[in-house]
Amino acid sequence: MMKKKSISASKASLVFFLCQMISALDVPLDSKLLEELSQPPTITQQSPKDYIVDPRENIVIQCEAKGKPPPSFSWTRNGTHFDIDKDEQVTMKPNSGTLVINIMNGGKAEAYEGVYQCTARNERGAAISNNIVIRPSRSPLWTKEKLEPNQVREGDSLVLHCRPPVGLPPPIIFWMDNAFQRLPQSERVSQGLNGDLYFSNVQPEDTREDYICYARFNHTQTIQQKQPISVKVFSMDSLNDTIAANLSDTDIYGAKPVTERPPILLTPTGTTSNKVELRGNVLLLECIAAGLPTPVIRWIKEGGELPANRTFFENFKKTLKIIDVSEADSGNYKCIARNILGSTHHVISVTVKAAPYWITAPRNLVLSPGEDGTLICRANGNPKPSISWLANGVPIAIAPEDPSRKVDGDTIIFSAVQERSSAVYQCNASNEYGYLLANAFVNVLAEPPRILTPANKLYQVILDSPALIDCAYFGSPKPEIEWFKGVKGSILRGNEYVFHDNGTLEIPVAQKDSTGTYTCVARNELGKIQNEVQLEVKDPTMIIKQPEYKVIQRYGHVSFECIIKHDSTLIPTVIWLKDNDELPDDERFLVGKDNLTIMNVTDKDDGTYTCIVNTTLDSVSASAVLTVVAAPPTPAIIYARPNPPFDLELTGQLERSIELSWIPGDENNSPITSFVIEYEDGLHEPGVWHYQTEVPGSQTTVQLKLSPYVNYSFRVIAVNEIGRSQPSEPSEQYLTKSANPDENPSNVQGIGSEPDNLVITWESLKGFQSNGPGLQYKVSWRQKDVDDEWTSVVVANVSKYIVSGTPTFVPYEIKVQALNDLGYAPEPSEVIGHSGEDLPMVAPGNVQVHVINSTLAKVHWDPVPLKSVRGHLQGYKVYYWKVQSLSRRSKRHIEKKILTFRGNKTFGMLPGLEPYSSYKLNVRVVNGKGEGPASPDKVFKTPEGVPSSPSFLKITNPTLDSLTLEWGSPTHPNGVLISYILKFQPINNTHELGPLVEIRIPANESSLILKNLNYSTRYKFYFNAQTSVGSGSQITEEAVTIMDEGKMAMASRQVDIATQGWFIGLMCAVALLILILLIVCFIRRNKGGKYPVKEKEDAHADPEIQPMKEDDGTFGEYRSLESDAEDHKPLKKGSRTPSDRTVKKEDSDDSLVDYGEGVNGQFNEDGSFIGQYSGKKEKEPAEGNESSEAPSPVNAMNSFV
C-alpha cells in the first residue's frame, strides 16, 4: 500500500514540475549578452558516428564546442584516455577539440582504427561527443581465378557471377565491355543487387568475349576490373548444320528447336525468404526470373497495398524500392513472374526494426536560483530502447550527488536549484540497432536585469497604424517589465496598449498624440534598469488627385495627373507603370513632377497606367485606363464609368454598428445603378480591402454591422452600365472595442492516426473573428461513458492537437472553445470522435455455404463482436477460389477472388462459379485499418451443369453415300458426359431444309461414319454434348457427298439452266425466229431460189459449236479454281451454260461441272473439294459428234446461241 502511495506522489510531483517548465528562462540570441553570461559547454560540431577515412590522407576527427568560459578538450580511444602529447603524429587544433592525425608524413591509418570520444569541459560542466568509429577505407584487388568460357544453348538462362572483393565501404558494381561501354540491359538481361549479370534467356546476339565486371571504390577513387568472361550462344540452326555435317544421310539427327519455358526464379531461390530493414532506410526487394518468352515481374503486398508516393520500381520492375520505411511496411511481399506458359512466385517476409529515434530530446534549461525544472528524454525504437543518464560524462549513479536532482526514468526533476547545480547531462537511448546521445545543460544563473534594446532608439510609424516599441531584456530571475510615457509619466495601462511577453509595447492605432518618449523599466530581486526610446507618428502619404480614365483619339496627346500629399519629414518617390510593368523606353512618354504625358498616342499605348508613391514608411498607388480610339466622323456622347464618390463620413458610432454616408461623383452620362461598400482591417490585414455590402444607386447612406477588435476604414465604389468607378478615398478609421469571441472553431473532428492516439482538428477562426487580442483555443476531451472529468489544454496558432496514450478505438467527446484576452466564446457543442483503429482481432465464425445452383452459392457467417473489430466496421471480405474441377481431377493455378460486403451483413452471394468443381472460401472482417484474421477455409462443391459446345467438329472422307465425322470433347464438360446428340438434314439447291434426323452417340466416342446418304447432296449437321443435367450449346457444320460421275454434267445443266424461266423464254424466242426463217426459205424455194445454209455452215464452222469428244469422256480445258471457299455452294439461280458445254468461271463459279470427272477428287475437312481436275491441257481440233445420247431440245437450242 505504501508503494502505491509513493508512486502516486511521484506522478503528482512530475505533473507539477512539467507545469513549472514554462517558467524556465529563454536566453535571447544577443551576441554581447552571450559573451558575458556563464554557460556550460555545448558540442556544436562532431564527426559522424561511422567515419570511414581515406588511408592516403590525414585523418581529421572533428570536435567543436562553445561555452563560457571557453571549454578545454580531451579524448578517449577505445574507452581509455588518449594522450595526444605522446603521439607525434597527432595534434589538436588551437581553441578547438579537433584532432589531426598526420598520415601523409609517415603515419599508417590502420594504426589509428578505433572508437574515439571527445569531452568538452569548463567550470559549469562537461559535454561529450558520440562514439566516433574510425575505419580506413579498403579497395582490395580481385582474387585470381580461371574463368571457363560459357557455352549456352539459345533460349537457356545464364548467370555471370561478379563476386567483387570485400571493400569498405562496399563497391559500386557495373558491367562494361573492352571499349569501356556499359553493356545494354533490358527485361531479358539485367544486373542484380549482388552485382551478378542475369540472362532470363540467351539469344545469339549475346555471344561475346568481353563481359567485364567493374568495382568502383568511391572513397579511394579506384576501379578494380574482373577478368573478361566469354559467352558463346549456340543457335538451333547452326547446331543442326554442325550435326548434319558429321552424320550420314541415313542417320537421324537434328537438335530440338528453341523450346518455350515457363518462368523459374533465378534469385531469390525457394518459395519464401526473410528480410529485416531499419526504419527510415530504403527497402530493396529483388526477383529475377528465367523463362522464354522473357517473364514479366509484378509485385504485390499480401493483405495490403504498396505504400503510395514511396514505392518505386527499378531494373525493369525486378526491384521493388520503398523509401523511408516504417513499422507499417512490415509484411509479406510477393513477386510474381509470368509469361504465356505460366507463372511462379516468391514471398519475402519483411520485418521493419528501428534504431532509437527521438520523441522528445532533452533541451537546455536556464534557471534562476530556487527555481524548479525538468529534463525529459523520450525515445522510441524496435525493440524499445533503454534510457540511461550521465552527468558531465559520468553515469549518474556514480556522479556526485545533487540534492536538487531526482531521476525518474526518462525524466530528471530539479527542485530549488542552486548555482552549484549547473551541469551538462547526457541522455543515451540505445537498442541492438544503434543509439542516440544528447547533451543538455542545466545552467543556474543569478543575473540582474539587462535591457538589450539600444538607448534612445527612434521608432517612426504612420498615423492610424500600429506602433511596436521594443524592450528586449534578460535577467535571472525573469524581470518584470513596466512602461512609462515621458520622463515623469505614469505607468501605462488600459485597452489602448498591448503588452507582449518579450517586453514589446504595442499601440494598435497610433495617433499624433502618441508621439513622445517612452521609458521601459525592468526589475527583479537583484536590481533594476530602465531605457528610453522615441516614437514619431507621421502623416500618411495620400494621392489627392488620382489619374482618371481617358479615351483619346489616335495621334492625340493625353496626360494623367498624380498629385500627392505627404508628411513633410518624409521624402516620396513617384514611379509610373504601364500594365504593371515599366514604361516603354520611348521619348513620347514624358514624366513630370505631378503627371505623365503621352505624345502622339498609338494603339499600342492602350492599357492601365499606375502611379506608385513610396516613402520609407508607407506606399500608395492609383491607376487609370487609357483607351485609344479612331477619330469619330461626328462628335458623339461619351459614356464612361462614374467618378468615384467623395466626402465619406462616419456617424452614429456604436460597439457593433456605424452609419456611413457619401456624395456620389459624376455619372458620366450613364446612371449609377449601385454602390459597393468595402472595408479594410488595419489591425489584422492592412492594405487588403473586403466586400462589406451593396446598396441601390439612389441610396447614399447605409448602416453597417461591425465586429469587435477591428480597425475599420471604408471606401465606396460607384457602378453603372459601363463599369465600376475608382474607389473613393478611405474614410476615417474606427477601432471597435475588444470582446469575447462570438463563435467557436468549426469542423471539429477527432480521428486517430495511430492505435494509441487521438488527433483533434478544427478550422481556425479568421483574424476579425478573434474579437480581441490573444486568440487561443481550449481543446477538451474525455472518454465517452468512462470519464466524468474533461481533460483540457490551451493552444495557440495551431489547428490540430494530438492526444497520445489512448486506448485503441474508443469514443471520445470532444469540444474546442475559442478564447482571447477578454474571455471565452460561448460553450461549444460536443462532437464524438474515436481514437486510432487497429486491425480486427477475431475472424467471423460459423461460416456456412448453401449451393443454389451450379454457378451460384450463398455464404453465411456469424458477425464478430464489435469490440474485437477495434475500428469502424466497414464490412466483410469473402476470399474464394477454385481448388479443382471434379470432372478432370487436375489442379490448376489458384486465383483467389474477393467479394466485399459493406456494413454488418452476414451473408452474400458468390456468382460466376464453375459447375462441377470444388471450391474453398474464408471470411474476414474489415475496418479502416485493414483486414482481420481469416476464418478457417470452408470447402464446398458445385453440382453438374450443362456442358459447353464440343471443342471442334470435322467432316472428312466424303464418298457418294457417306461422310466421316470427328469431334473433340467440350472444353468445359461441367459434369460427367453421358452422350453426344447428332442431328442432320439435307439442303436442296434452293437452300430449303429437308427432314431432321437425330442420332445419340456414346460419350466415349470421338468419331462416326454416316452411311446411306444421298449422293451430291449438301447436309447440315448440329452437334452437342449432354450431361445428366441437360444438353449443352451446339456446334454446326455443313458438308457435301460426292456426285455420280455419269450424271453430273447433264443433271447440273438440266436442273440448273434448262428449268429456268428466263432461259425457257429465250428458247421460245429463238424457236419463233427459226420458224420465221423456215417459212422464208420455204417461200424462196417455191420461187426456185437456193439458200446455201449448209455450205455456209461448212465454210464458216463456229469453233464454239462443236460436239464433245467421247474417246476420253472429258470436257474442254478447265482453269483451276482460285479459291475453294465457295466450292460447296449449290448452283446459283440464273446461271448460264455456254454452247460448248463447258462451264466458264465467269459464268458460274458454283457449278459442280468445274470439279471435273474421275475418281481422284476428294473433299477437305470442311467439305470443300480439293483434288485434281481431269481433262486435256490443250484444245484439240473439233470432231464430229459421236455421242450416242439422244438429241435433246436443250442441245439443239444451244447450237443457236
Side-chain angles (χ1 to χ4, degrees):
M1 191 68 181
M2 291 298 292
K3 184 176 181 180
K4 290 185 179 179
K5 287 185 177 180
S6 64
I7 292 175
S8 299
S10 174
K11 289 184 177 179
S13 62
L14 178 59
V15 172
F16 173 76
F17 282 114
L18 287 175
C19 295
Q20 291 298 317
M21 275 191 67
I22 301 174
S23 66
L25 293 175
D26 289 328
V27 179
L29 298 177
D30 183 89
S31 57
K32 183 178 180 182
L33 176 66
L34 293 177
E35 290 177 1
E36 297 175 356
L37 295 178
S38 297
Q39 179 178 314
T42 300
I43 300 290
T44 59
Q45 191 174 5
Q46 57 183 313
S47 294
K49 295 178 182 178
D50 191 6
Y51 189 17
I52 300 175
V53 299
D54 191 334
R56 302 166 300 181
E57 298 180 355
N58 292 341
I59 301 173
V60 178
I61 311 176
Q62 292 183 329
C63 180
E64 303 291 343
K66 65 180 181 179
K68 181 69 176 181
S72 60
F73 297 89
S74 62
W75 286 85
T76 62
R77 177 183 174 190
N78 297 329
T80 60
H81 177 67
F82 183 35
D83 192 348
I84 61 176
D85 295 332
K86 294 183 178 180
D87 192 333
E88 60 182 9
Q89 302 293 342
V90 182
T91 58
M92 185 183 295
K93 289 185 178 181
N95 302 319
S96 168
T98 298
L99 294 183
V100 179
I101 303 175
N102 196 331
I103 300 300
M104 302 179 69
N105 289 336
K108 292 185 177 181
E110 293 79 3
Y112 292 94
E113 286 192 63
V115 181
Y116 293 77
Q117 188 172 43
C118 170
T119 301
R121 185 185 308 275
N122 68 8
E123 63 187 25
R124 287 193 166 253
I128 61 175
S129 70
N130 292 320
N131 286 328
I132 303 170
V133 180
I134 302 295
R135 295 185 294 170
S137 63
R138 299 181 178 87
S139 53
L141 298 175
W142 241 292
T143 56
K144 292 185 177 180
E145 56 181 326
K146 184 178 181 182
L147 300 176
E148 296 293 336
N150 292 273
Q151 298 186 358
V152 195
R153 187 176 64 175
E154 180 183 356
D156 287 353
S157 61
L158 175 64
V159 181
L160 300 183
H161 298 289
C162 180
R163 300 191 182 99
V166 178
L168 184 68
I172 298 172
I173 305 300
F174 51 94
W175 289 80
M176 302 178 75
D177 58 16
N178 276 331
F180 297 101
Q181 298 298 315
R182 285 188 178 269
L183 296 175
Q185 298 190 20
S186 63
E187 288 186 344
R188 186 177 64 84
V189 183
S190 61
Q191 177 182 318
L193 295 176
N194 63 353
D196 293 346
L197 192 62
Y198 292 86
F199 296 75
S200 294
N201 53 81
V202 295
Q203 302 297 325
E205 59 265 24
D206 296 327
T207 298
R208 62 191 306 153
E209 297 181 350
D210 58 347
Y211 287 94
I212 305 174
C213 181
Y214 289 86
R216 183 173 69 213
F217 298 89
N218 283 345
H219 266 67
T220 58
Q221 297 296 312
T222 58
I223 297 178
Q224 304 290 355
Q225 172 185 339
K226 187 182 178 76
Q227 291 179 329
I229 302 174
S230 173
V231 174
K232 185 172 183 181
V233 179
F234 291 97
S235 66
M236 292 300 100
D237 293 339
S238 63
L239 194 57
N240 284 337
D241 293 343
T242 304
I243 297 173
N246 293 280
L247 297 176
S248 66
D249 293 339
T250 59
D251 291 331
I252 299 175
Y253 65 89
K256 295 181 180 179
V258 176
T259 304
E260 293 184 339
R261 294 175 286 104
I264 59 171
L265 287 175
L266 298 175
T267 182
T269 57
T271 59
T272 61
S273 59
N274 297 311
K275 173 83 172 181
V276 176
E277 192 54 80
L278 291 183
R279 177 182 184 270
N281 286 356
V282 176
L283 173 65
L284 293 174
L285 303 178
E286 178 182 60
C287 274
I288 301 178
L292 186 67
T294 302
V296 176
I297 304 296
R298 185 168 67 92
W299 291 90
I300 61 173
K301 183 180 181 183
E302 294 184 345
E305 299 291 335
L306 296 174
N309 303 324
R310 295 190 292 113
T311 300
F312 303 91
F313 297 100
E314 298 180 345
N315 198 15
F316 309 98
K317 293 191 176 181
K318 300 175 187 178
T319 302
L320 172 64
K321 177 180 178 181
I322 301 177
I323 62 174
D324 192 22
V325 295
S326 64
E327 289 85 344
D329 295 322
S330 296
N332 292 333
Y333 293 80
K334 179 189 286 188
C335 69
I336 303 170
R338 185 186 303 275
N339 66 11
I340 59 175
L341 299 182
S343 65
T344 186
H345 69 271
H346 184 92
V347 177
I348 305 173
S349 179
V350 174
T351 302
V352 178
K353 299 290 186 178
Y357 56 91
W358 290 120
I359 296 176
T360 304
R363 300 178 60 183
N364 295 333
L365 198 59
V366 179
L367 299 174
S368 302
E371 285 189 332
D372 305 327
T374 57
L375 288 179
I376 301 175
C377 176
R378 289 179 183 154
N380 203 355
N382 187 6
K384 183 77 173 179
S386 61
I387 303 292
S388 61
W389 288 96
L390 297 88
N392 295 326
V394 178
I396 203 165
I398 61 175
E401 290 188 5
D402 183 350
S404 66
R405 178 183 68 210
K406 179 182 179 182
V407 179
D408 187 359
D410 58 8
T411 304
I412 301 180
I413 303 169
F414 298 93
S415 56
V417 296
Q418 302 301 318
E419 285 196 65
R420 64 176 180 274
S421 301
S422 296
V424 183
Y425 292 88
Q426 291 81 34
C427 173
N428 185 300
S430 61
N431 65 12
E432 59 187 277
Y433 297 106
Y435 73 93
L436 294 172
L437 179 69
N439 291 278
F441 62 69
V442 176
N443 194 13
V444 182
L445 296 175
E447 295 287 337
R450 306 182 189 201
I451 293 180
L452 308 178
T453 301
N456 294 313
K457 183 175 180 180
L458 176 62
Y459 293 89
Q460 295 179 326
V461 297
I462 294 295
L463 179 70
D464 294 331
S465 63
L468 296 172
I469 307 173
D470 293 333
C471 181
Y473 66 91
F474 178 75
S476 182
K478 183 178 180 180
E480 294 181 357
I481 302 298
E482 293 177 331
W483 281 94
F484 299 86
K485 185 179 181 184
V487 179
K488 297 182 179 180
S490 59
I491 187 170
L492 298 180
R493 292 188 178 89
N495 293 334
E496 61 267 29
Y497 301 103
V498 178
F499 303 94
H500 293 273
D501 290 341
N502 63 356
T504 298
L505 171 65
E506 178 181 355
I507 305 174
V509 184
Q511 301 298 319
K512 280 292 185 178
D513 58 2
S514 301
T515 301
T517 301
Y518 289 82
T519 303
C520 167
V521 177
R523 59 164 57 90
N524 65 10
E525 60 190 39
L526 300 179
K528 168 186 171 184
I529 191 171
Q530 67 181 37
N531 187 42
E532 293 181 355
V533 294
Q534 306 297 321
L535 174 63
E536 293 180 355
V537 179
K538 306 291 186 179
D539 290 325
T541 303
M542 296 183 294
I543 301 177
I544 57 177
K545 181 64 174 177
Q546 297 185 353
E548 296 180 348
Y549 172 72
K550 297 290 180 72
V551 178
I552 192 70
Q553 298 177 15
R554 283 192 206 101
Y555 312 118
H557 309 307
V558 66
S559 180
F560 292 106
E561 289 185 300
C562 185
I563 301 175
I564 63 173
K565 178 182 178 182
H566 60 90
D567 192 281
S568 59
T569 61
L570 299 177
I571 301 175
T573 58
V574 179
I575 301 173
W576 285 91
L577 302 178
K578 179 182 183 292
D579 296 330
N580 294 323
D581 204 351
E582 294 181 359
L583 291 177
D585 186 9
D586 192 328
E587 60 184 9
R588 297 182 300 109
F589 289 80
L590 306 176
V591 179
K593 178 183 177 183
D594 297 323
N595 58 35
L596 167 66
T597 303
I598 307 174
M599 310 295 292
N600 298 322
V601 173
T602 63
D603 288 339
K604 66 180 180 180
D605 297 330
D606 250 11
T608 301
Y609 291 84
T610 304
C611 167
I612 301 176
V613 183
N614 294 316
T615 69
T616 55
L617 297 181
D618 62 350
S619 175
V620 292
S621 65
S623 299
V625 175
L626 172 63
T627 301
V628 180
V629 297
T634 56
I637 299 175
I638 298 176
Y639 298 94
R641 305 175 188 183
N643 291 348
F646 58 92
D647 198 13
L648 274 65
E649 184 178 3
L650 297 176
T651 57
Q653 289 90 340
L654 300 174
E655 289 188 2
R656 294 296 181 99
S657 68
I658 198 169
E659 186 176 273
L660 172 66
S661 59
W662 61 91
I663 298 175
D666 193 340
E667 294 181 344
N668 291 329
N669 300 315
S670 179
I672 295 174
T673 58
S674 63
F675 292 99
V676 177
I677 292 88
E678 296 180 339
Y679 74 92
E680 175 197 27
D681 181 1
L683 193 60
H684 300 103
E685 294 180 291
V688 180
W689 290 90
H690 300 275
Y691 174 85
Q692 173 87 9
T693 188
E694 186 170 355
V695 297
S698 59
Q699 185 174 331
T700 59
T701 303
V702 64
Q703 192 77 18
L704 301 175
K705 293 183 179 179
L706 306 179
S707 296
Y709 194 55
V710 177
N711 190 19
Y712 281 101
S713 292
F714 299 97
R715 69 182 186 184
V716 182
I717 300 170
V719 182
N720 65 9
E721 290 185 355
I722 307 302
R724 295 160 62 104
S725 74
Q726 293 296 319
S728 68
E729 292 292 330
S731 70
E732 61 180 301
Q733 290 186 327
Y734 178 61
L735 177 63
T736 55
K737 293 183 179 180
S738 302
N740 294 7
D742 292 327
E743 53 188 309
N744 287 302
S746 60
N747 197 21
V748 178
Q749 294 181 336
I751 302 173
S753 61
E754 298 293 339
D756 60 348
N757 75 6
L758 172 67
V759 180
I760 302 173
T761 59
W762 60 90
E763 289 186 9
S764 301
L765 299 181
K766 300 187 183 303
F768 72 90
Q769 295 175 305
S770 64
N771 285 7
L775 177 63
Q776 295 178 299
Y777 303 99
K778 180 182 179 183
V779 184
S780 304
W781 67 92
R782 67 180 177 185
Q783 189 173 342
K784 191 173 184 296
D785 301 329
V786 175
D787 295 336
D788 293 329
E789 299 296 328
W790 291 89
T791 302
S792 300
V793 64
V794 176
V795 297
N797 302 320
V798 296
S799 60
K800 179 175 72 173
Y801 185 78
I802 300 176
V803 181
S804 302
T806 65
T808 301
F809 194 70
V810 296
Y812 277 85
E813 294 175 315
I814 302 165
K815 56 184 180 179
V816 180
Q817 186 177 24
L819 67 148
N820 59 21
D821 291 350
L822 278 78
Y824 288 86
E827 184 67 20
S829 58
E830 301 171 6
V831 299
I832 302 297
H834 286 82
S835 56
E837 300 182 57
D838 206 344
L839 294 177
M841 301 169 59
V842 178
N846 192 25
V847 178
Q848 300 293 330
V849 180
H850 172 60
V851 178
I852 297 175
N853 56 41
S854 60
T855 61
L856 182 66
K858 186 175 184 180
V859 58
H860 292 262
W861 61 88
D862 288 345
V864 299
L866 288 179
K867 287 187 177 180
S868 69
V869 176
R870 301 200 295 180
H872 293 285
L873 175 63
Q874 293 188 353
Y876 292 85
K877 282 189 178 180
V878 177
Y879 287 71
Y880 64 100
W881 62 96
K882 180 179 174 181
V883 179
Q884 67 178 15
S885 172
L886 297 178
S887 59
R888 298 187 177 182
R889 300 292 179 183
S890 60
K891 293 186 177 180
R892 65 172 192 175
H893 175 69
I894 296 175
E895 293 187 4
K896 291 187 177 181
K897 298 181 180 178
I898 305 173
L899 283 178
T900 301
F901 300 95
R902 299 293 179 186
N904 199 20
K905 290 190 69 173
T906 58
F907 67 91
M909 308 300 288
L910 305 182
L913 304 177
E914 294 186 19
Y916 206 52
S917 300
S918 176
Y919 279 85
K920 286 185 179 181
L921 64 76
N922 58 52
V923 186
R924 311 174 191 199
V925 66
V926 183
N927 66 10
K929 191 74 171 180
E931 299 176 6
S935 66
D937 290 349
K938 187 75 174 181
V939 179
F940 66 96
K941 298 178 181 178
T942 54
E944 291 187 76
V946 295
S948 63
S949 61
S951 57
F952 67 88
L953 174 62
K954 296 193 298 185
I955 305 176
T956 60
N957 302 327
T959 66
L960 286 173
D961 63 349
S962 68
L963 293 170
T964 300
L965 280 69
E966 298 178 357
W967 59 86
S969 59
T971 306
H972 301 286
N974 294 340
V976 178
L977 297 181
I978 59 175
S979 65
Y980 292 100
I981 304 298
L982 173 65
K983 299 177 184 179
F984 64 94
Q985 57 190 151
I987 307 174
N988 64 15
N989 292 327
T990 59
H991 301 284
E992 295 176 348
L993 299 176
L996 188 67
V997 179
E998 179 176 328
I999 301 175
R1000 185 178 296 273
I1001 305 169
N1004 58 354
E1005 297 291 339
S1006 61
S1007 64
L1008 175 68
I1009 299 175
L1010 281 177
K1011 298 182 178 180
N1012 300 322
L1013 303 175
N1014 297 329
Y1015 68 86
S1016 185
T1017 302
R1018 177 175 299 279
Y1019 286 90
K1020 186 166 186 178
F1021 297 90
Y1022 312 88
F1023 192 69
N1024 58 6
Q1026 192 175 48
T1027 64
S1028 60
V1029 177
S1031 299
S1033 56
Q1034 63 184 11
I1035 184 172
T1036 63
E1037 193 57 80
E1038 294 184 14
V1040 182
T1041 54
I1042 293 178
M1043 178 174 285
D1044 184 274
E1045 298 175 5
K1047 300 180 180 180
M1048 181 187 299
M1050 186 61 68
S1052 173
R1053 190 175 295 118
Q1054 289 176 346
V1055 172
D1056 294 338
I1057 299 177
T1059 61
Q1060 302 299 312
W1062 66 270
F1063 190 78
I1064 293 173
L1066 178 62
M1067 291 302 101
C1068 291
V1070 172
L1072 180 61
L1073 179 61
I1074 293 173
L1075 180 60
I1076 295 171
L1077 288 175
L1078 289 175
I1079 293 172
V1080 172
C1081 290
F1082 180 78
I1083 294 172
R1084 293 191 63 178
R1085 183 179 294 273
N1086 289 339
K1087 291 181 178 183
K1090 182 178 180 182
Y1091 186 74
V1093 176
K1094 176 62 178 174
E1095 289 80 1
K1096 286 186 179 182
E1097 288 179 354
D1098 293 340
H1100 303 285
D1102 188 352
E1104 296 295 325
I1105 310 175
Q1106 297 297 330
M1108 184 177 66
K1109 292 180 64 177
E1110 191 176 60
D1111 57 349
D1112 58 2
T1114 63
F1115 300 100
E1117 180 181 355
Y1118 301 120
R1119 290 181 296 157
S1120 173
L1121 293 178
E1122 294 296 325
S1123 171
D1124 61 1
E1126 304 277 343
D1127 291 347
H1128 58 281
K1129 294 183 179 179
L1131 185 65
K1132 295 180 180 177
K1133 293 182 179 180
S1135 62
R1136 183 167 174 262
T1137 306
S1139 60
D1140 63 352
R1141 302 185 183 183
T1142 64
V1143 182
K1144 295 183 180 180
K1145 183 173 181 64
E1146 63 268 26
D1147 293 329
S1148 178
D1149 285 356
D1150 300 320
S1151 175
L1152 290 172
V1153 179
D1154 284 324
Y1155 296 145
E1157 297 178 6
V1159 296
N1160 294 327
Q1162 55 181 333
F1163 290 80
N1164 62 15
E1165 293 177 352
D1166 62 357
S1168 59
F1169 184 73
I1170 53 167
Q1172 252 180 309
Y1173 302 116
S1174 60
K1176 297 291 186 179
K1177 296 299 181 182
E1178 297 178 359
K1179 286 189 176 181
E1180 297 180 358
E1183 298 180 2
N1185 189 356
E1186 299 179 1
S1187 174
S1188 59
E1189 294 181 7
S1192 70
V1194 176
N1195 291 337
M1197 295 301 178
N1198 283 344
S1199 64
F1200 290 94
V1201 178

